[in-house]
Amino acid sequence: MTYCVAACLDAGMVFLADSRTNAGVDQVSTFRKLRVFERPGDRMLALMTSGNLAISQAIVALLAQRGTEDPRSLWNAVSMQDAAQCVGDAVRTVHARDSQALKEQGIDFNVSLILGGQIGQAPCQLFQVYAAGNFIATSPESPYLQIGESKYGKPIVDRVLHTQISLDEAAKCLLISMDSTLRSNISVGTPLDLLVYERDTLRVTRFACLDENSQYLAMIHSTWGERLRQVFSEIPDPRWITPETPAAQDGAPLRFAQLHQPVRISAGGADAAHAAPTAHQILAQGATRSQAH
Amino acid sequence: MTYCVAACLDAGMVFLADSRTNAGVDQVSTFRKLRVFERPGDRMLALMTSGNLAISQAIVALLAQRGTEDPRSLWNAVSMQDAAQCVGDAVRTVHARDSQALKEQGIDFNVSLILGGQIGQAPCQLFQVYAAGNFIATSPESPYLQIGESKYGKPIVDRVLHTQISLDEAAKCLLISMDSTLRSNISVGTPLDLLVYERDTLRVTRFACLDENSQYLAMIHSTWGERLRQVFSEIPDPRWITPETPAAQDGAPLRFAQLHQPVRISAGGADAAHAAPTAHQILAQGATRSQAH
């Protein structure tokens, strides 16, 4: 399903994408997900995609077809906001052309894109474009975006990323986020495209394609894991205190107090249990309310 | 959406469940997800649920109704495999009764359960029961199960859990897994039910209900985060090597070699781009194959 993540920082921007695509476990391929629209000295835009591959490729192809003579093209966008609108319009064009046929096959118009970059003197901006063609932008409080298999790699980014960190630290953070995802989900795989954009350079200065031969990626993989296990072993284990044991003086014991009891189901059977609610009862009680999960 | 996780280890078993339930962001409640069926000296079974609350409550109520006089009851299961079958049968009973009405409301029969424990002299066993009423068991190679919002907390469990660790280390591991999930997803919340089952005791000896006042949980939350940030800062940042810079002697530099180039979209427009594939073309090429993602 892919995993792409990008951050917009004071010092610039970082983009990281995997390249695994699958149409089931017996059809796994490699397709690059990060594309660059660069006019050195004028603009640097990076686009990453996830979701249905045919849809995302169609959108990128449409954007690629629109050259410098086309007013709707990314080459003529006057601002990043305008550029995001261009991408959104391309999404809608593909939707208008293809969604009905997909629906007839029972397939959702499933695509998400990340667009980021800088045009001229304006600040860097980072957007997520939805399947409906509209989009959101990052903010200093929420300076990163993820698409695809985002959950495995979210905790580390939530813990360490903020707008003041350096570009290299951000790259390291996103690589660790990707490593956690690679380890836990087989629909995400190398090679990885890493683009580190230095603010106001308006060109690609730092790009790397990382595969299983990449020393840095291997170092992240082994070192992060080892250090995590080391930190884990150094954190105090829980200490169970029974009513008979005096409270320990150190650490933070887990108290097994008598007032802590699990919810116990008694062996009494029907007498002890409340009547099982049925769907009809629930619907009668609140048919217009959502079901709780 | 809840998060429940359990592990089956050489020393016994650990179960951890949150208790947040929601029917949308404006209707958030607390419902305990872990229930214990305990007959000291004979059996200790723990059941955790996720998914549609009405469905999971109906299943638990049905199991609770079946007392010691009922041959289908958990109190009469002769083995953990038998007990898993009892739970599966209860799922199917509720499905037979409620799924049609739910379907008419456009609601899926969405429920997942974890059942674990020990009966008599037999080994501990841990199962995940599906909405279809069938189930899988853990193995020494895959000694844990998760239901609900499982992805955020999976990387740490993948990295540190194995069957030989102590029960307290396993509890610590699952609490860290839960902490990562709590931090990144608001549909998971305290209080948490933690049950640590010591093999062959056939009773509940260690149980804690952890909320925002729990010192241990607070310690996990702050210490794990701090130590992770510390480990993060100690891991070498990537070092970009240009063709002009000699390779560094230390660490594992990220090489910015000339042969590493991002996929660039040129400004040439239609001449440079391939024709955008349409859904019709794709369907003609391989109508029976799944769409790639």
Side-chain angles (χ1 to χ4, degrees), chain B residues 99-139:
Chain B
S99 65
Q100 186 54 37
L102 290 166
K103 190 184 281 193
E104 287 162 14
Q105 293 278 327
I107 294 166
D108 293 330
F109 189 82
N110 167 23
V111 68
S112 298
L113 305 96
I114 288 177
L115 173 77
Q118 189 173 22
I119 293 175
Q121 308 270 3
C124 297
Q125 278 195 281
L126 182 61
F127 300 91
Q128 180 171 344
V129 184
Y130 296 116
N134 56 347
F135 49 86
I136 58 168
T138 56
S139 67

Side-chain angles (χ1 to χ4, degrees), chain A residues 92-133:
Chain A
R92 288 172 179 166
T93 300
V94 174
H95 182 273
R97 190 179 67 201
D98 292 352
S99 65
Q100 186 54 39
L102 289 166
K103 190 185 280 193
E104 287 161 14
Q105 293 277 326
I107 294 167
D108 293 330
F109 190 82
N110 167 23
V111 68
S112 297
L113 305 96
I114 288 177
L115 173 77
Q118 188 174 22
I119 293 175
Q121 308 269 2
C124 297
Q125 279 195 281
L126 182 61
F127 301 91
Q128 180 171 343
V129 184
Y130 296 115

Side-chain angles (χ1 to χ4, degrees), chain A residues 293, chain B residues 1-4 16-22 28-34 148-149 152 175 177-194 209-212 217:
Chain A
H293 286 68
Chain B
M1 189 177 149
T2 221
Y3 174 43
C4 301
L16 180 63
D18 90 315
S19 58
R20 182 163 291 177
T21 301
N22 80 86
V28 179
S29 314
T30 299
F31 285 88
R32 306 279 284 281
K33 309 294 172 63
L34 187 151
E149 282 293 348
Y152 306 97
L175 283 167
S177 174
M178 179 66 74
D179 180 66
S180 293
T181 310
L182 288 168
R183 178 182 270 278
S184 292
N185 188 298
I186 60 165
S187 74
V188 179
T190 57
L192 312 176
D193 280 347
L194 171 67
C209 186
L210 308 173
D211 60 16
E212 57 278 1
L217 197 58

Side-chain angles (χ1 to χ4, degrees), chain A residues 20-23 27 32 34-38 51-54 58 60-62 64-68 75 97-98 101-102 105 107 110 149 151-152 154-156 158-160 166 168-169 171-173 176 179-180 183-184 194 196 204-210 215-216 219-221 223-225 227-229 231-238 240 252-256 260-270 273-280 282-283 287 289-293, chain B residues 20-23 27 32 34-38 51-54 58 60-62 64-68 75 97-98 101-102 105 107 110 149 151-152 154-156 158-160 166 168-169 171-173 176 179-180 183-184 194 196 204-210 215-216 219-221 223-225 227-229 231-238 240 252-256 260-270 273-280 282-283 287 289-293:
Chain A
R20 184 163 291 177
T21 301
N22 79 87
Q27 196 187 349
R32 306 278 284 281
L34 187 151
R35 288 104 174 165
V36 165
F37 296 73
E38 178 198 32
N52 183 302
L53 183 65
V60 173
L62 199 58
Q65 278 182 320
R66 292 171 177 168
T68 51
W75 304 108
R97 190 179 67 201
D98 292 352
L102 289 166
Q105 293 277 326
I107 294 167
N110 167 23
E149 282 292 348
K151 294 183 174 182
Y152 306 97
K154 191 175 189 295
I156 181 61
D158 280 340
R159 288 186 199 275
V160 310
S166 72
D168 285 335
E169 284 179 298
K172 185 171 65 176
C173 172
I176 292 170
D179 180 66
S180 293
R183 178 182 269 277
S184 292
L194 171 68
V196 175
V204 174
T205 53
R206 296 196 228 167
F207 176 84
C209 186
L210 308 172
Q215 288 177 296
Y216 190 78
M219 183 278 293
I220 291 274
H221 184 73
T223 305
W224 182 251
R227 297 302 313 278
L228 241 61
R229 280 184 288 273
V231 168
F232 175 79
S233 65
E234 290 167 4
I235 286 188
D237 288 354
W240 297 86
L254 262 179
R255 293 190 174 282
F256 181 57
H260 277 192
Q261 288 294 327
V263 175
R264 276 187 171 78
I265 306 295
S266 80
H274 57 84
T278 66
H280 291 98
I282 295 159
L283 294 170
R289 299 193 84 175
S290 301
Q291 300 240 340
H293 286 68
Chain B
R20 182 163 291 177
T21 301
N22 80 86
Q27 197 187 348
R32 306 279 284 281
L34 187 151
R35 288 105 175 162
V36 165
F37 296 73
E38 179 199 32
N52 184 302
L53 182 65
V60 173
L62 200 57
Q65 278 181 321
R66 292 171 178 169
T68 50
W75 305 107
R97 191 178 67 202
D98 292 352
L102 290 166
Q105 293 278 327
I107 294 166
N110 167 23
E149 282 293 348
K151 295 183 175 183
Y152 306 97
K154 190 175 190 293
I156 181 60
D158 280 341
R159 287 187 200 276
V160 309
S166 73
D168 285 335
E169 286 178 299
K172 185 171 66 176
C173 172
I176 292 170
D179 180 66
S180 293
R183 178 182 270 278
S184 292
L194 171 67
V196 175
V204 174
T205 53
R206 296 196 228 166
F207 176 83
C209 186
L210 308 173
Q215 288 176 298
Y216 190 77
M219 182 279 292
I220 290 275
H221 185 72
T223 306
W224 181 251
R227 296 303 311 279
L228 241 62
R229 279 185 288 273
V231 169
F232 175 79
S233 65
E234 289 166 4
I235 286 187
D237 288 354
W240 297 86
L254 261 179
R255 294 191 172 282
F256 181 58
H260 277 194
Q261 288 293 328
V263 174
R264 276 187 171 79
I265 306 295
S266 80
H274 56 84
T278 66
H280 291 99
I282 296 158
L283 293 169
R289 300 191 83 175
S290 301
Q291 301 240 341
H293 285 69

Side-chain angles (χ1 to χ4, degrees), chain A residues 186-209:
Chain A
I186 60 165
S187 72
V188 178
T190 56
L192 312 176
D193 279 348
L194 171 68
L195 173 63
V196 175
Y197 173 68
E198 299 166 84
R199 189 189 66 187
D200 302 332
T201 52
L202 297 170
R203 72 191 66 241
V204 174
T205 53
R206 296 196 228 167
F207 176 84
C209 186

